[in-house]
Amino acid sequence: MATYDCDVLVVGGGIVGLSTAYALTRAAPGTRVVVLEKEDGPARHQTGRNSGVIHSGIYYTPGSLKARFAVRGAAEMVKFCAEYGLPHEVTGKLIVATDRGELPRLHALVQRGRENGIPVRELGPAQIAEYEPEVRGIGAIHVGTTGVCDYGAVAARLARLAEDAGASVRYGAEVRTVGRRGAVVAVRTARGEVVRGRALVNCAGLYSDHVARLAGDDPQMRIVPFRGEYFELAADRTDLVRGLVYPVPDPAFPFLGVHLTRGIDGSVHVGPNAVPALAREGYDWGTVRPAELAGTVAFPGSWRIARRHWRYGAGEVRRSLSKAAFTAAVRRLLPHVREEDLIPAPAGVRAQAVLRDGTLVDDFLFAESPRMVHVLNAPSPAATASLPIGREVARRVLAGLA
């Protein structure tokens, strides 16, 4: 008879991994769950380094996982935060067109929002000023269901709820090897600990493709890390922004552009841009991991992205290296902002799945093999959608164990 330490091993203690553990304990009480997280606490990477926005789901293709899970997840996230007393606010947001060439894309977003069941209101310049007196644009839409919260606090509460239901969340437990023999999945951590389970869920974020390969599966993609750099408005200039203000995004890219976000603490984040990171946890230009960089450079999809989008990428790098250029981009929305008003803030890294042909995977991506469920692409709006994502992953892994 096989010997197990648990039923389900979850690799990764970000918000998706912890939501999965929480969902497993709710869907099948008594299921023994172990979460292995390499850091000394939850939400140290994508979850804890974003701007805290509860996304409405307006940007995403109708019927896609992102659209369905974001719309559902936004409502559930607000309810979850209210139920457990976590800081949050439903602020609404503006998506603002600053030149006529953006108006067709703005109108397309109105239609997409309506198809996704999201209430939107079209605004002219005078109506923009009613919401955001310092913002300038020739047209905008107001999305009332967008908000902000503290995703680090949400992840910590999910961990506590999972533990209260019997799960074990282990920090400082970096997975180094994965073995699968018959009905047993076993992992060995960097500390030499071996944990055996009946199934494994890979929620490793920036290392999701790496963990899939450790498990003997070919994910047919690679994580290419993109760093998002932020500034904050100086404390005496936060009155320039009342809520959330976004530009009209370019549909060719999964990035939303430099936007303005008033957080739950009253600070105003400005950003992010999107530049290639030189390590999967490369939060600045000085962080380089040669082996990880070599893997990115050797991947054919990276070169195809570069050839296809070099102009866009060059502009992002320029704004990364030049504060004046970054400020000029912000002034398109907020004309009165000055370079000295922008204070550097911690950066984040987006785990973007890329196919060999250079396609940027635009939807959440799951893959399954015997006794394995891999979450291979879960960047923004995964934090917003984390509760329904967790239920979906739990459903898949429990079906595999039935």
Side-chain angles (χ1 to χ4, degrees):
M1 296 291 290
T3 301
Y4 305 105
D5 301 298
C6 64
D7 296 304
V8 182
L9 286 162
V10 178
V11 179
I15 198 168
V16 172
L18 293 168
S19 176
T20 297
Y22 170 75
L24 284 165
T25 64
R26 294 303 189 272
T31 301
R32 295 172 300 164
V33 180
V34 173
V35 180
L36 302 175
E37 165 56 43
K38 71 183 179 69
E39 304 295 351
D40 61 3
R44 294 294 193 261
H45 294 287
Q46 290 186 106
T47 302
R49 287 176 169 266
N50 61 42
S51 53
V53 175
I54 302 173
H55 289 283
S56 64
I58 190 171
Y59 300 109
Y60 313 117
T61 303
S64 66
L65 292 174
K66 278 190 176 182
R68 292 190 287 116
F69 287 179
V71 172
R72 191 181 312 155
E76 291 184 19
M77 185 58 64
V78 171
K79 182 179 178 181
F80 184 89
C81 289
E83 181 176 355
Y84 292 104
L86 303 178
H88 70 288
E89 184 178 359
V90 179
T91 60
K93 78 171 177 183
L94 298 184
I95 303 173
V96 180
T98 56
D99 66 56
R100 292 200 165 274
E102 295 174 336
L103 289 176
R105 300 207 307 265
L106 189 71
H107 296 321
L109 276 179
V110 172
Q111 180 60 30
R112 176 164 287 189
R114 289 173 179 160
E115 289 179 31
N116 286 337
I118 300 163
V120 297
R121 179 186 174 207
E122 298 184 70
L123 308 177
Q127 294 164 307
I128 292 172
E130 292 175 11
Y131 287 98
E132 295 284 353
E134 300 297 333
V135 169
R136 296 292 177 269
I138 61 171
I141 56 179
H142 180 259
V143 187
T145 53
T146 306
V148 289
C149 70
D150 181 343
Y151 284 120
V154 172
R157 181 53 60 100
L158 287 168
R160 195 171 314 132
L161 290 169
E163 288 177 314
D164 289 346
S168 172
V169 181
R170 305 180 189 181
Y171 300 111
E174 179 180 357
V175 171
R176 289 288 179 83
T177 63
V178 180
R180 181 167 34 184
R181 179 174 296 177
V184 181
V185 178
V187 303
R188 185 183 297 274
T189 71
R191 294 177 177 173
E193 178 186 21
V194 175
V195 188
R196 297 171 179 85
R198 298 172 61 211
L200 180 143
V201 174
N202 168 15
C203 297
L206 286 158
Y207 293 93
S208 60
D209 58 335
H210 173 69
V211 170
R213 291 187 181 93
L214 285 180
D217 292 331
D218 181 359
Q220 301 291 316
M221 44 66 73
R222 188 176 185 91
I223 293 295
V224 175
F226 287 88
R227 184 171 63 256
E229 296 163 329
Y230 290 91
F231 288 87
E232 287 185 1
L233 286 183
D236 62 346
R237 299 287 280 170
T238 57
D239 59 343
L240 291 174
V241 178
R242 290 180 174 178
L244 310 180
V245 184
Y246 281 64
V248 179
D250 185 333
F253 302 97
F255 313 111
L256 298 180
V258 172
H259 46 272
L260 313 169
T261 308
R262 177 175 284 275
I264 52 173
D265 61 356
S267 65
V268 177
H269 269 74
V270 182
N273 58 1
V275 297
L278 305 181
R280 298 203 183 201
E281 296 171 8
Y283 296 111
D284 54 53
W285 286 110
T287 301
V288 182
R289 293 183 179 172
E292 293 180 1
L293 180 58
T296 298
V297 171
F299 180 59
S302 299
W303 290 98
R304 291 178 176 128
I305 292 172
R307 282 197 297 271
R308 198 173 298 157
H309 301 306
W310 68 269
R311 284 188 177 87
Y312 180 93
E316 294 292 295
V317 171
R318 179 170 174 264
R319 285 185 284 275
S320 172
L321 299 176
S322 167
K323 189 178 180 182
F326 190 98
T327 306
V330 179
R331 282 195 185 120
R332 293 189 62 199
L333 290 171
L334 198 64
H336 295 142
V337 75
R338 304 166 304 199
E339 191 171 333
E340 58 267 28
D341 295 333
L342 300 179
I343 311 300
V349 176
R350 177 190 180 103
Q352 177 62 51
V354 178
L355 305 182
R356 287 182 66 85
D357 66 1
T359 300
L360 298 166
V361 178
D362 191 42
D363 205 357
F364 299 139
L365 179 63
F366 308 102
E368 296 179 54
S369 65
R371 302 191 175 275
M372 302 271 180
V373 178
H374 302 287
V375 182
L376 297 175
N377 194 57
S380 179
T384 298
S386 55
L387 293 171
I389 290 174
R391 287 198 303 274
E392 173 66 17
V393 176
R395 181 190 67 76
R396 291 178 182 231
V397 72
L398 291 171
L401 293 176

